[in-house]
Amino acid sequence: MSNFVFYKYTTKMAPSHTRGRIKWMKDTDSTNSELRRHISELDNLSVIAAANQSAGRGQGAHSWFSSPGANLTFSILYEHNALDASDAILVTCVTTLGIRDYLMSRGVETRIKWPNDIWAGDRKICGILIENILEGRSVMRSIVGVGLNLNETDWPADLPNPVSLKELTGEDYNPETELETLTEAICRRFGQMATKDGRLGLQEEFEKFMFRLP
């Protein structure tokens, strides 16, 4: 465990049941894989973040590009009270809306590209990889990987439409500070899943800001 460099709690503002611990790593293969390896040791909404991933994953067979130390690459654990598999879209709603809230707080308007990307204008600023753990018809846990382009400016030529927060605002960002703010936003959205009205609100907002490519 020597690769973990420090521990923090995500938020002082959210209720205690929506707090999780952040573990930062210097290097790992994939934060989703790392979280899965340690899942029995972790509490709800715990976060594993890495300054560098050697095998970061996107949707399908895609990899995730990120220069070491420049961006946010992390995974967060959601523990559910036997969420019915038919309601698994709520995991996407919580995550995408929480990220959108964070980006709005930084002055950036975004939309959600179905199913798990965040776009600023016509450029991709964030990708999400969700892995649900089921028992029968119930989702018991979700491992949610997030790659957010924070300070990146040097993109590979084969990436079609990336953009970073720095490119949009002209500011430099501290990944540790920004991760705490971002996970606070996600935790608040996760809390909405506790009530019927909250779940309905999540789905309505998701549909409002979601689009599909032709």
Side-chain angles (χ1 to χ4, degrees), residues 175-205:
E176 297 169 13
T177 301
E178 297 307 309
L179 180 58
E180 290 192 62
T181 304
L182 173 53
T183 52
E184 285 177 11
I186 293 173
C187 287
R188 284 192 290 268
R189 288 293 186 172
F190 184 86
Q192 287 185 249
M193 291 181 65
T195 67
K196 181 178 179 180
D197 286 346
R199 293 191 293 272
L200 180 61
L202 285 168
Q203 291 179 296
E204 288 178 345
E205 276 196 79

Side-chain angles (χ1 to χ4, degrees), residues 90-178:
L90 288 168
V91 177
T92 299
C93 297
V94 163
T95 309
T96 55
L97 291 172
I99 295 168
R100 186 179 184 277
D101 292 342
Y102 160 77
L103 290 168
M104 285 290 291
S105 76
R106 297 298 182 259
V108 174
E109 175 72 38
T110 59
R111 297 180 298 156
I112 301 161
K113 178 183 149 308
W114 175 264
N116 292 326
D117 290 341
I118 309 292
W119 281 31
D122 59 356
R123 302 173 74 184
K124 179 175 174 177
I125 192 170
C126 181
I128 301 160
L129 176 64
I130 296 172
E131 298 176 304
N132 291 318
I133 299 172
L134 289 84
E135 292 183 10
R137 286 286 305 165
S138 296
V139 181
M140 305 306 293
R141 289 170 167 169
S142 300
I143 299 172
V144 181
V146 176
L148 176 70
N149 300 327
L150 197 63
N151 294 308
E152 194 71 57
T153 58
D154 187 16
W155 301 102
D158 59 347
L159 287 184
N161 62 339
V163 71
S164 69
L165 192 56
K166 178 177 179 176
E167 289 177 317
L168 292 170
T169 67
E171 298 183 22
D172 288 299
Y173 296 90
N174 180 295
E176 297 169 13
T177 301
E178 297 307 309

Side-chain angles (χ1 to χ4, degrees), residues 57-77:
R57 291 180 285 140
Q59 291 291 329
H62 296 137
S63 60
W64 184 260
F65 170 80
S66 179
S67 296
N71 306 300
L72 290 179
T73 50
F74 68 95
S75 297
I76 184 168
L77 174 64

